[in-house]
Tab-separated table of all heavy atoms in Angstrom:
chain	number	residue	atom	x	y	z
K	427	TYR	N	15.207	60.169	-24.165
K	427	TYR	CA	15.348	60.317	-25.623
K	427	TYR	C	14.239	61.207	-26.176
K	427	TYR	O	14.489	62.136	-26.941
K	427	TYR	CB	15.314	58.932	-26.282
K	427	TYR	CG	15.114	58.962	-27.781
K	427	TYR	CD1	16.199	59.050	-28.651
K	427	TYR	CD2	13.830	58.907	-28.333
K	427	TYR	CE1	16.014	59.087	-30.031
K	427	TYR	CE2	13.633	58.950	-29.704
K	427	TYR	CZ	14.724	59.045	-30.547
K	427	TYR	OH	14.535	59.087	-31.902
K	428	LEU	N	13.012	60.943	-25.763
K	428	LEU	CA	11.880	61.706	-26.296
K	428	LEU	C	11.922	63.163	-25.842
K	428	LEU	O	11.696	64.081	-26.626
K	428	LEU	CB	10.558	61.059	-25.885
K	428	LEU	CG	10.225	59.723	-26.569
K	428	LEU	CD1	8.997	59.082	-25.928
K	428	LEU	CD2	9.994	59.926	-28.076
K	429	THR	N	12.229	63.370	-24.561
K	429	THR	CA	12.239	64.761	-24.064
K	429	THR	C	13.368	65.562	-24.701
K	429	THR	O	13.253	66.768	-24.869
K	429	THR	CB	12.382	64.820	-22.526
K	429	THR	OG1	13.456	63.962	-22.145
K	429	THR	CG2	11.122	64.372	-21.833
K	430	ASP	N	14.460	64.894	-25.067
K	430	ASP	CA	15.554	65.587	-25.755
K	430	ASP	C	15.140	66.100	-27.127
K	430	ASP	O	15.702	67.047	-27.643
K	430	ASP	CB	16.760	64.655	-25.944
K	430	ASP	CG	17.562	64.509	-24.657
K	430	ASP	OD1	17.260	65.245	-23.691
K	430	ASP	OD2	18.462	63.639	-24.622
K	431	ARG	N	14.182	65.421	-27.732
K	431	ARG	CA	13.881	65.755	-29.121
K	431	ARG	C	12.519	66.384	-29.362
K	431	ARG	O	12.280	66.940	-30.420
K	431	ARG	CB	13.986	64.477	-29.979
K	431	ARG	CG	15.432	64.063	-30.203
K	431	ARG	CD	15.521	62.628	-30.687
K	431	ARG	NE	16.906	62.222	-30.880
K	431	ARG	CZ	17.716	61.836	-29.901
K	431	ARG	NH1	17.286	61.813	-28.650
K	431	ARG	NH2	18.954	61.482	-30.157
K	432	LEU	N	11.636	66.246	-28.394
K	432	LEU	CA	10.295	66.800	-28.600
K	432	LEU	C	10.047	67.899	-27.569
K	432	LEU	O	10.641	67.890	-26.485
K	432	LEU	CB	9.232	65.701	-28.468
K	432	LEU	CG	9.307	64.579	-29.512
K	432	LEU	CD1	8.365	63.447	-29.131
K	432	LEU	CD2	8.969	65.116	-30.901
K	433	GLU	N	9.152	68.813	-27.921
K	433	GLU	CA	8.908	69.974	-27.074
K	433	GLU	C	8.418	69.622	-25.669
K	433	GLU	O	9.083	69.845	-24.683
K	433	GLU	CB	7.884	70.897	-27.759
K	433	GLU	CG	8.518	72.052	-28.503
K	433	GLU	CD	9.664	72.706	-27.732
K	433	GLU	OE1	9.409	73.145	-26.590
K	433	GLU	OE2	10.803	72.774	-28.253
K	434	SER	N	7.225	69.067	-25.580
K	434	SER	CA	6.688	68.813	-24.239
K	434	SER	C	6.139	67.385	-24.174
K	434	SER	O	5.213	67.029	-24.884
K	434	SER	CB	5.588	69.824	-23.935
K	434	SER	OG	4.537	69.707	-24.860
K	435	VAL	N	6.785	66.591	-23.336
K	435	VAL	CA	6.414	65.181	-23.232
K	435	VAL	C	6.144	64.789	-21.785
K	435	VAL	O	6.977	65.041	-20.905
K	435	VAL	CB	7.548	64.247	-23.746
K	435	VAL	CG1	7.005	62.849	-23.995
K	435	VAL	CG2	8.229	64.805	-24.967
K	436	ALA	N	4.991	64.212	-21.541
K	436	ALA	CA	4.710	63.659	-20.214
K	436	ALA	C	4.953	62.152	-20.264
K	436	ALA	O	4.932	61.547	-21.332
K	436	ALA	CB	3.276	63.949	-19.814
K	437	LEU	N	5.202	61.563	-19.084
K	437	LEU	CA	5.394	60.107	-19.000
K	437	LEU	C	4.323	59.547	-18.076
K	437	LEU	O	4.116	60.053	-16.967
K	437	LEU	CB	6.784	59.798	-18.421
K	437	LEU	CG	7.023	58.354	-17.974
K	437	LEU	CD1	7.063	57.404	-19.164
K	437	LEU	CD2	8.325	58.240	-17.180
K	438	TRP	N	3.656	58.542	-18.542
K	438	TRP	CA	2.670	57.883	-17.693
K	438	TRP	C	2.928	56.387	-17.753
K	438	TRP	O	2.841	55.784	-18.816
K	438	TRP	CB	1.255	58.218	-18.180
K	438	TRP	CG	0.162	57.594	-17.357
K	438	TRP	CD1	0.277	57.026	-16.129
K	438	TRP	CD2	-1.207	57.482	-17.723
K	438	TRP	NE1	-0.932	56.575	-15.678
K	438	TRP	CE2	-1.865	56.839	-16.641
K	438	TRP	CE3	-1.952	57.868	-18.837
K	438	TRP	CZ2	-3.230	56.552	-16.667
K	438	TRP	CZ3	-3.300	57.587	-18.864
K	438	TRP	CH2	-3.936	56.939	-17.780
K	439	VAL	N	3.277	55.838	-16.578
K	439	VAL	CA	3.508	54.394	-16.517
K	439	VAL	C	2.303	53.763	-15.840
K	439	VAL	O	1.974	54.094	-14.707
K	439	VAL	CB	4.802	54.062	-15.751
K	439	VAL	CG1	4.950	52.559	-15.592
K	439	VAL	CG2	6.014	54.643	-16.473
K	440	SER	N	1.622	52.915	-16.568
K	440	SER	CA	0.438	52.247	-16.024
K	440	SER	C	0.106	51.061	-16.929
K	440	SER	O	0.929	50.669	-17.755
K	440	SER	CB	-0.733	53.220	-15.964
K	440	SER	OG	-1.804	52.625	-15.266
Side-chain angles (χ1 to χ4, degrees):
Chain K
Y427 166 89
L428 289 172
T429 48
D430 282 352
R431 286 164 181 80
L432 297 170
E433 262 318 303
S434 61
V435 196
L437 167 69
W438 181 14
V439 175
S440 188

